[in-house]
Amino acid sequence: MELPGDSLIFNKDKGKYHANVNVLGIAYNPDGSVGARFNDTLKLDFEKDEWKEFTKQPYRYQNQFDAAPGAYKLSVVPQPLGGRRFCEV
């Protein structure tokens, strides 16, 4: 999944840029019930120059989770995203 680098919300603290991005993923069965789920927290810390470069390109997020064999519809919600509510899976 790609998250737009410039959409992540960073806070400046003691000269460094810091962001916590919570990611919730839910795999839905064809009947709409939840087949599997995961959550994760991305902790990003950068110096000013690193932060500037980071925001110029998408951030590629990957995760694995266990689920029984089957067909699923996957929904992934990263937050916060600075008012932008999209990403590419």
Side-chain angles (χ1 to χ4, degrees):
M1 174 175 75
E2 290 188 348
L3 304 171
D6 62 351
S7 69
L8 300 175
I9 298 173
F10 282 84
N11 295 310
K12 189 174 179 183
D13 184 30
K14 298 179 185 172
K16 294 190 177 191
Y17 292 80
H18 174 77
N20 282 335
V21 180
N22 297 310
V23 181
L24 172 64
I26 302 175
Y28 293 98
N29 291 307
D31 67 0
S33 64
V34 175
R37 68 176 62 218
F38 73 89
N39 63 19
D40 193 11
T41 301
L42 308 175
K43 295 182 180 185
L44 305 169
D45 291 297
F46 298 110
E47 298 291 338
K48 185 175 183 176
D49 292 340
E50 295 172 316
W51 169 74
K52 283 183 180 181
E53 286 301 311
F54 178 87
T55 60
K56 292 179 183 177
Q57 56 195 349
Y59 176 76
R60 291 194 172 99
Y61 172 78
Q62 295 183 19
N63 194 351
Q64 285 184 242
F65 61 98
D66 294 327
Y72 298 99
K73 178 183 175 189
L74 180 62
S75 177
V76 180
V77 180
Q79 289 192 327
L81 271 187
R84 292 171 68 178
R85 296 176 178 244
F86 65 89
C87 57
E88 294 180 20
V89 178

